[in-house]
Amino acid sequence: MSLFEKMQRTAKHQYEGMGIRLFTCKVTGINPLKVKINENLELTEELLIFPESLQERVLQVKDYKTTASSGGDICSGSSLTEVIRTCILQPKIKIGDRLIVSAAGEEYVVLDKVGDPNATISYTAE
């Protein structure tokens, strides 16, 4: 057996010995975060490692709206009004969301949110 094969075998045994498991669970609380893996096991925020990729992402865009004067001519006498638009790019996790969680020992890592394969995500600028 070559050195590479021995290293590969050792790594495989270590990985299998870690007992890594994947679960889908349901969010049952937000503040503090709670997720229910099964009827007997509900994890609290202290036991979860939550990724930055699932945090809410908000984009604020500064825009200008042109308003015409009473004469109706937009070129003369018009004014600009500053408008701040808020766009939610990634919504917060909410109660009822399903998450994919990996467990290795006593650490639980939230990997991602379960999505709907038939859903369309669209953003409309107003």
Side-chain angles (χ1 to χ4, degrees), residues 14-86:
Q14 284 181 338
Y15 178 77
E16 288 173 349
M18 290 174 67
I20 295 175
R21 301 173 314 272
L22 288 177
F23 301 99
T24 56
C25 57
K26 193 173 188 177
V27 176
T28 57
I30 294 298
N31 209 354
L33 180 64
K34 292 181 185 178
V35 296
K36 193 170 206 166
I37 290 186
N38 58 40
E39 291 302 317
N40 302 322
L41 182 59
E42 184 172 62
L43 304 174
T44 58
E45 199 167 330
E46 303 85 42
L47 299 172
L48 295 167
I49 299 172
F50 199 78
E52 184 179 322
S53 63
L54 290 179
Q55 292 177 348
E56 182 179 45
R57 297 190 189 288
V58 177
L59 175 66
Q60 289 191 333
V61 180
K62 186 186 292 186
D63 195 4
Y64 294 93
K65 184 177 182 180
T66 306
T67 54
S69 62
S70 59
D73 184 8
I74 200 163
C75 295
S76 62
S78 63
S79 63
L80 291 176
T81 305
E82 185 178 295
V83 178
I84 303 290
R85 299 182 192 276
T86 301

